Amino acid sequence: MARWTGLFPPGKGGGEGVKYGHKGKGVLIHTLTDGNGMPLANCTTPANGSERDQVIPLLDSVKVKTNRPGRPRKRLKVLAADKGYDSKEKRAALRKRGIRPQWPKRVWKKKKNRGRPIKISVPRFQQERCFAWFQRKYRRLVVRWERISACFNAFLSLATVHIWINRILLVG
């Protein structure tokens, strides 16, 4: 199961790729994680960009490693996200790829629901664990001071590689 979410580091230093969004001036870090919270792929966009537009390109950048001969798998089974990523087009595109989207629907309340409430919750602690690693271990990613976006993306990639190296060395 893969998880998808975004993180907002404020861009105090300004520079390319830093825009004003609803939370202030900064960038969004989009991360695709596996079921254990290990980051699979990352990308950054300006704070005022659409988060939904980044789902399909980030999925295309992931290759799932199997120990079988042949082409590496690129298809995940389940993709979980929060309700900000919900749209009919994205759900249809994921189902066309054979991926089951597991995110709550964006609902606009028009009338009161009758009967027992249906609770649909998406487990988010895996993504939050990944972002806690980014914020606790890699303080450089908390606030973007780099004026060049390639430098910030390089620090993000180094943090991802370092998380995986620690996981491989500790688990063995």
Side-chain angles (χ1 to χ4, degrees), residues 36-55:
N36 295 322
M38 298 298 290
L40 297 175
N42 300 313
C43 73
T44 59
T45 59
N48 62 357
S50 175
E51 296 176 346
R52 282 176 264 187
D53 295 340
Q54 300 301 318
V55 175

Side-chain angles (χ1 to χ4, degrees), residues 3 33 35-37 122-132:
R3 308 272 191 237
T33 61
N36 295 322
V122 175
R124 289 188 40 91
F125 66 91
Q126 290 93 351
Q127 302 99 314
E128 299 303 328
R129 178 190 304 157
C130 178
F131 287 135

Side-chain angles (χ1 to χ4, degrees), residues 37-146:
M38 298 298 290
L40 297 175
N42 300 313
C43 73
T44 59
T45 59
N48 62 357
S50 175
E51 296 176 346
R52 282 176 264 187
D53 295 340
Q54 300 301 318
V55 175
I56 302 299
L58 206 58
L59 279 174
D60 289 339
S61 68
V62 173
K63 292 182 176 69
V64 180
K65 174 82 169 133
T66 59
N67 291 328
R68 297 181 181 164
R71 258 187 5 214
R73 272 184 48 217
K74 291 189 77 167
R75 188 172 63 176
L76 305 168
K77 293 181 182 176
V78 178
L79 181 68
D82 50 3
K83 71 169 95 174
Y85 295 97
D86 184 33
S87 70
K88 290 180 181 178
E89 296 83 23
K90 296 301 175 204
R91 284 183 183 269
L94 291 176
R95 284 193 187 108
K96 188 176 179 183
R97 291 174 172 230
I99 300 171
R100 182 172 58 94
Q102 181 187 2
W103 52 58
K105 293 185 178 179
R106 294 190 308 168
V107 180
W108 288 275
K109 295 273 184 174
K110 293 186 178 154
K111 63 179 183 177
K112 186 176 179 182
N113 292 340
R114 297 180 169 255
R116 187 173 64 190
I118 299 171
K119 183 179 179 186
I120 301 174
S121 64
V122 175
R124 289 188 40 91
F125 66 91
Q126 290 93 351
Q127 302 99 314
E128 299 303 328
R129 178 190 304 157
C130 178
F131 287 135
W133 287 335
F134 282 159
Q135 290 175 350
R136 188 183 71 222
K137 294 181 179 180
Y138 313 104
R139 299 289 298 166
R140 190 79 181 226
L141 299 177
V142 174
V143 176
R144 180 180 160 179
W145 293 103
E146 291 80 22

